[in-house]
Amino acid sequence: MNNIPLLLALGAIPLLLANWFVVAVILGHDCALLYEGGNITECAGGLSEEEMIAASGVIALALLVIETGLIALVRRHTANRRITRKDADSRDGDSR
């Protein structure tokens, strides 16, 4: 049974949340109240708090796609490396 899609989905959710948290912390590090008694805040680049949260979600999703692609590339590279080593070992064994 192939559980790779299930494991990928279960691993992607925490990774997406971690990405979102990191990006929200970076974008929201300078959020400040505009008015003392109010609930209006302004964050990096003139974004409101809601816009900052939405932007960090979009950026986190893009990071997840990049990270998933890198994981797939590294996995493919290591699998190819194992195959070529097995081929080389079998050739060395045949020549002896």
Side-chain angles (χ1 to χ4, degrees), residues 6-16 64:
L6 176 65
L7 293 174
L8 186 62
L10 290 175
I13 293 170
L15 187 59
L16 181 61
L64 179 68

Side-chain angles (χ1 to χ4, degrees), residues 20 23-24 27 43 47-59:
W20 175 78
V23 173
L27 288 179
C43 299
L47 297 174
S48 69
E49 188 174 9
E50 293 81 11
E51 291 170 335
M52 185 271 305
I53 291 171
S56 63
V58 171
I59 294 170

Side-chain angles (χ1 to χ4, degrees), residues 6-76:
L6 176 65
L7 293 174
L8 186 62
L10 290 175
I13 293 170
L15 187 59
L16 181 61
L17 289 173
N19 286 343
W20 175 78
F21 181 76
V22 168
V23 173
V25 167
I26 291 170
L27 288 179
H29 79 282
D30 65 346
C31 288
L33 289 173
L34 291 179
Y35 306 105
E36 291 264 339
N39 191 6
I40 300 172
T41 56
E42 187 172 308
C43 299
L47 297 174
S48 69
E49 188 174 9
E50 293 81 11
E51 291 170 335
M52 185 271 305
I53 291 171
S56 63
V58 171
I59 294 170
L61 191 57
L63 282 173
L64 179 68
V65 169
I66 292 169
E67 290 164 347
T68 305
L70 287 174
I71 289 169
L73 284 174
V74 168
R75 191 160 180 238
R76 205 177 282 164

